[in-house]
Structure formats: C-alpha cells, structure tokens
Amino acid sequence: GEALSADGEVAHAKARFAEAAGLYRRFLDEFSDHQDASGVRYQLARALAMGGDEVGSINELDALVDTSASDDLESEAYFRRGEAMFSSQQWRGAEDAYRLVLEQPGSNFHEQARYKLGWALFKQGLHEASLDYFFEVADDHLVDGDSVVSLDSLERAQRELVDDSLRAIAIGFSYTEGPSAVDAYLETRISSAAYTSLIYDRLGALYLDQERYQDAADTYATYVAAHLMADDAPAMQIRVEQAYREGRFAEQVLAAKRDFAERFGIASGFWDQWTPQQLPDAWAHLRLTLDELAEHYHALARTDGSPDAVAESVRWYQAWLATFPDDPEGARRQFLLGELLFDSDRFAEAAEAYERSAYDYAAHDDAAEAGHAAVLAWRRVAEHSDDAQTAARSITATLRFADTFPEHPEALAARVDASRQLFDAGELQPALQQAEIVMTQADAGTEQRQSALLIAGHSAFDLSRYDRAESAYVELVAASDDPAEREALLDRLAASIYRQGEAAATAGSTDAAIAHFGRVADVAPGSGIAATADYDAAVLLMESGQWARAADALRLFRSRYPEHEYQDRVTVSLATVLTEGGDVRGAADELLNVADLAGQPQDVRRAAQWQAARLYDESGSPEQAVSAWDDYVERYPEPLDAAMEARQRIADLYGERGDAAGRLRWLQAIIDADRSAPQRTDRGRTLAAGAALELADVQRVAYEAVTLSAPLDRSVPAKKASMEAALDGYGQAAEYSIAEVVTEATYRIAQIY
C-alpha cells in the first residue's frame, strides 16, 4: 500500500501500543491472581511507555513493585521506572529509582542503573557526585589488575558505555576546576589512576569540541607536567601543540614545540627509560620538532640577524645532531649549521660543522660544497689570527678538500692557495709537492700554473734543489711579458744556475762548476749575479791551472763588465794568469795596468811596475823595459835600493843598445841619487861607486885621446886639464870606499901617472 508519512507511522505505532495496553489491562482485570500477572503488568508498563503514556507506565511499575514477589522483576521495574522518569526529566525520581536498582543484589540492571544514576545526578548539577558512578563504570571495563584495558578491545556495547562514561567524566570536570581537579580526584580513586591519561585526553578533546583551545592545551600540558616519564607523555605534549595549531596561536605552537624538544629531547632523561622502538611515534615527532625549531630560528636569523635567533637555531641543530648522530640526514643538518655559523661570523665553529658534513658521512650532494665552505671558513679564521696552529688547520682543510673533491671547480685553486700558504709558513717540501701536483693537472689555467711554477721555483731554490728551481724559472721567464716581472725572474733563474755552480765547486766537480757559472750570463746576461758567476768561473780556471782558459775568461769579464767593481781584481788576476801561462809580454802589459790602478795599495802597484819592467827585460823588449824602469824610478824613488837598481838597469839597457850618452846620463843619475838620498845605503853607494868609476874611465879615455902637438902651449894645458878631470873622477870613485872600486881607481890613477 501507500507509504505512510513519518507522523503517520508514529501515530500508527502509538495506536498499536495503546491496543496492546488495553489487552494487558483486560487480562489483569479478569485474571488478577494469575501466576503471570506480574509479567503482564510489566509488559503493560512497557506498552504505556512506548505509547507515550509515561505517567501511566510509572503508575503500573509502582503497582508492580508493590505486588511482585520476583526480585528480578522488581529490579527491572525499578530500572524501568527510573528510565521513565529520566525520559520525563524527573531527575530526582530517576535518581531514587536507579539507587533502588543498585540496592538489589545480583541485578542484571546494576551496570545500566549505575551509569544512568550518574547522569541523573549530572542533570541535577551534582557533577562531582556523578563522577563516582561514571568512574565505577570505567573501572569495571578498563582496569584489569595493574593493567589498563584498551577501549578498542571491548565489545561494541561495552565500548559505547565506557566511551560515554568517559565523556560524562570529561564534562563533569569541565564544569568544575578542569584539569587541575583531575589528579586531585584520582588520588581518591587509586584504581582509576591507571587510565589517567585517558581522562585528560577526553577532557582536552571536549574543550577542543567547544573551541576552548587554550583550555584544551592547558589540560594536555597539565598531564605532561605531572607525568613526564609516562610513555604517553610525548603524545599528550603533541596534543598541546595541535590544540594551539587548531586555535591558530602561532607563538604558542612554537612554545609547545620547544617544550616537547626540551622535555623529550635526548638530554632530558626520558629516553633513558624508553627506547625509540617502544615509542616510534614520539621519536619521529622529536626528529620533526628539532628540524622545525632549527629551521624556524635559522630563517629568523637570516631575516634580522638576531643573536638570540642564531643561538636558538644552533641549539636545535646541535640537539638534532646529538639525537641522531648516525642519521645520513645529519650531513645536511651539519651543512645548514655551518651556514648559520658562517653568516654569524663564527668562522671556526662553522668550519668544523662544514668539515663534519663533508667528511663524516657517506657521499651526499652537499659534501663537496661543504668541504669548500670549510676552506673558506678556516681562511677567515686565519685572517683574524696570527696563531700558527690556526694557519696549519686552514692548510690542512684546504688540502683535504682538494684531495677529496678533485672534480670541484674550486679544488685546483684551493690547492694553489694551500701551496702558497705552505710556502709562506716555511713548509717548503709540502709547498713544492702541492705546486707540482697543480702543474700536472691538464685543466690548470695559465694563472694557476704560473702561480704553481713560482711556488715550486722558490721552494726548490730554498730547499737547495737548484736544478728544479731552474726549470721552473725557465718556464716562467718564457711566459712572462711584464718587463719588471721578467727581470726579477731572470735574477732568480741566474741565482739558481749560480747555486748549482757553487754546489759543484764545493763537491770538487770543477769542470761542472765552471760550466754552470758560464751558463749564467748566457741565460740571464743582465742579472746582477752574472758578473759574479763569470768571475768565479775564471777563479776556478785559475785554481785548476787552466791558464789559457782563465785568461780568456778574465778578458771576457773585462769586456762584459767594464764598470764592475772587480775590474781591478781581474787585472791583477790576469797579470798572474799570463805570467803563469808563460805569456811574458802580455803579463808585463797587464802588470803595467795593475801599476796604474789607483785602488790598489802602493806596494802592490810598485811591485807590479817593477815586475812589468823585469818582464819586458826578459821578453827582449828594451824600449818597453826602459820606459817601465823609467816610470818606476819616477814613481817610486823609495825604497832607494830598488830605485838605484832600476837606474842601473836603465843605464845598462842604454849601454846594450850602444847609446853611450844615455848610459852616461843614467850613471850620473845614480851618483846624484846617492848623493841626495836622506839616508844612503850600502847598495846605493856600491852602485854609485861603480857609476863614478865608469864615468872616470870615460874621462881617462878622453885624456888618452888628447895628443901633444905644436904649439905645445896649447896642447899641453888641454891634456893637463883632461888628466886632472880623470884623476878627479877616480878620486871621487875611491871616496865611496868600495874595495874593488878603490882598487880599480887606484890602479887607474897610477896608470895615468
């Protein structure tokens, strides 16, 4: 048939219950003494209640209680009477009815009556009184000895009953003092304390439903504060955060995160009692929270540079790393920590964080960049410190980066920088080693290679590896187009070759040393050391008796370096070399040059003049010899004996070439020099005596040449005068008291007479 409307269905149902009630009344009227009369009356009460006649139903239940002899039926009647009154909001009557049920031992309605009694009290505003009954319901189903039974393990009807009781408990506490009253109440109910967290959870949830977010958060927080070591304390703290998030209280959300990290962090002691495996959700949330706190304060530090924000971010990064030391994600956190510290000018700490990120974890995307960042951080530390240990750390970090991440774009530049730092620190061998590594890299740029070459050259030079230094400088010179730079490099190149010569000379390898010295001027003719090298080569040739080569070397030096301070020394050496080599004439020429050297001591110049004159004599060059002896006499009248010998030799040379006048003139010069000497010498007197004797001989020969002829008055006086001159000459010779001269003079005088 046609479907009835909702109102029609209700009316139809009531009509059916009214019809049933009528049948039950008729039965009771006719069979009041029937053994099933109590049961029929109970069904009558139910039919009246279902039909909407609550008053009639209550009256029938009252009559049933008065007439029934069955405890079960009486208990049910009390319960139904309470239900009827509860439905009609007769809370006080319902309370009494439920209490009567509870007074019935073994009643099947005991649990339901206790539950409804709690609600009847609650409806009367007796919230604290109602709690006892709701807790009794919860205790019966949730407490099993010392354990708490999970709600999910209960059958549906039981679960709904307990769940509603918990809701009632939460509402009851919400009407009293809220979370502060929970623990105080539970102190009176030891058994109920087993599921304390469930009570706080339901109370917090109630507040959330009512959008009382602060109250909800306070509720959860109250539980956490009182039960910090409980296994569900972390979950409850998470609910604090969630409550604030639902209420959009950003600052409080952040504070709740901080509370979670502090209360359940690795240093809190909580995890001394529990393991991550036991509480995986709490452990995962700790990781997330530490991440969020570090990132939040890091972002804040980037925005305003607040020292507090920096400190907080550092704190939470470090907490994360301490909590999850073996987590691969730690590499990224270390890198971010390094970034934060670097931006805050905490370079040493940043460097250490970067290094941990780069080297303490398996390979990751940030590793190479972290290694490079560590280099930059240590470099900044070194810029502000003179500490040798800091400089060493910087170098170590640089090389570690270059060795570990050779493919990084900055690896080669870092190695160049490290080699330079090593050189500056006096670590020459490592500096050379690193520079040579750079030089082997095919991708090294021109500037990088030249820097490495320069470091290699200087390091090798200071390590006395002069051949290695030379090769570096040769390449640098070839590549340089800067005049000033090129000149400096040439000086270094020349020095490296020169030092090879010195080393060879010290080792006794004379020919090798001479060869090295000779290369200096060929490679770097303009360098300051080229002249020294050429001279040292000549000296070695002299010392080894290679006179001809030594002479050539000295002449080359003279022509190459006309203004050099060694020119005087070269002249002296050349004279010696030519003398030793048998070039008498050449030696004499050089000795005259020595004699003209104003910078030489007088005795040296005098000896050179003497030796030059002597060598001219020996070489058969009388004119040069006369000139040299003449210059000697002119320049060095003292000492007298040497000057007298020189005069004598001049006189002899004039005699040897048949120049009698010249000889006589120099013989007279000998006599005059002796006479005028401040202090006469034996040798001077001897030579003067000989000269006087020879001059007397000349006069005697002249006397003998004069002949007597007419007229005698003319020739006799002339001959007499000539004789007297000869006699006078011999007399003067005899006056020197030189024995042989006196003897000869006496003989000649006698001969004249």
Side-chain angles (χ1 to χ4, degrees), residues 365-377:
D365 292 343
D366 294 323
E369 197 58 39
H372 183 239
V375 172
L376 299 179

Side-chain angles (χ1 to χ4, degrees), residues 397-414:
T398 303
L399 292 179
R400 189 179 188 186
F401 163 69
D403 291 339
T404 308
F405 307 106
E407 302 303 320
H408 191 279
E410 297 298 327
L412 202 55

Side-chain angles (χ1 to χ4, degrees), residues 126-370:
L126 303 174
H127 302 122
E128 293 186 15
S130 71
L131 290 174
D132 290 339
Y133 297 100
F134 290 128
F135 269 110
E136 287 179 8
V137 173
D139 285 351
D140 284 349
H141 295 283
L142 295 179
V143 179
D144 182 11
D146 295 332
S147 302
V148 177
V149 178
S150 169
L151 269 174
D152 294 337
S153 67
L154 300 177
E155 294 181 2
R156 179 178 178 182
Q158 294 174 328
R159 184 171 62 252
E160 290 177 352
L161 180 66
V162 173
D163 195 61
D164 199 53
S165 295
L166 292 174
R167 178 174 175 274
I169 290 170
I171 296 172
F173 280 123
S174 74
Y175 286 161
T176 57
E177 298 177 13
S180 62
V182 176
D183 273 354
Y185 178 84
L186 292 178
E187 288 179 0
T188 66
R189 298 188 62 85
I190 302 303
S191 60
S192 305
Y195 53 92
T196 301
S197 62
L198 196 56
I199 305 303
Y200 279 98
D201 182 58
R202 292 307 175 92
L203 178 57
L206 175 65
Y207 284 140
L208 288 177
D209 289 342
Q210 298 171 349
E211 298 184 357
R212 294 168 62 181
Y213 304 110
Q214 184 64 59
D215 289 337
D218 289 344
T219 298
Y220 299 133
T222 299
Y223 176 80
V224 174
H227 306 84
L228 273 175
M229 292 299 159
D231 62 343
D232 54 4
M236 202 68 80
Q237 182 63 39
I238 293 173
R239 291 188 179 92
V240 174
E241 179 185 334
Q242 292 170 338
Y244 283 131
R245 184 175 288 109
E246 287 188 32
R248 299 183 180 181
F249 300 148
E251 291 186 8
Q252 287 86 342
V253 169
L254 180 62
K257 290 179 183 293
R258 287 171 56 92
D259 288 342
F260 186 93
E262 290 170 349
R263 290 171 174 172
F264 307 109
I266 197 68
S268 67
F270 180 82
W271 298 103
D272 295 338
Q273 181 172 332
W274 304 99
T275 67
Q277 292 74 24
Q278 290 174 309
L279 303 175
D281 292 342
W283 188 250
H285 193 76
L286 176 60
R287 176 191 175 106
L288 175 65
T289 299
L290 292 173
D291 258 341
E292 290 176 343
L293 287 171
E295 291 171 3
H296 169 79
Y297 285 109
H298 195 163
L300 195 60
R302 286 195 186 102
T303 302
D304 59 13
S306 164
D308 291 341
V310 172
E312 283 297 302
S313 186
V314 169
R315 174 190 179 188
W316 299 119
Y317 275 130
Q318 291 176 338
W320 194 101
L321 293 165
T323 306
F324 309 102
D326 300 323
D327 194 308
E329 286 295 317
R332 178 63 181 169
R333 305 305 184 283
Q334 292 282 15
F335 183 78
L336 293 173
L337 175 58
E339 296 280 86
L340 173 66
L341 292 167
F342 189 95
D343 291 341
S344 304
D345 295 341
R346 294 164 64 175
F347 301 117
E349 296 172 82
E352 292 174 354
Y354 284 137
E355 286 184 328
R356 287 190 289 270
S357 176
Y359 309 115
D360 291 357
Y361 297 87
H364 58 94
D365 292 343
D366 294 323
E369 197 58 39

Side-chain angles (χ1 to χ4, degrees), residues 34-53:
H34 194 277
Q35 61 180 0
D36 291 331
S38 295
V40 173
R41 190 173 297 281
Y42 174 76
Q43 293 298 332
L44 172 59
R46 285 193 62 193
L48 291 171
M50 297 299 290
D53 186 359

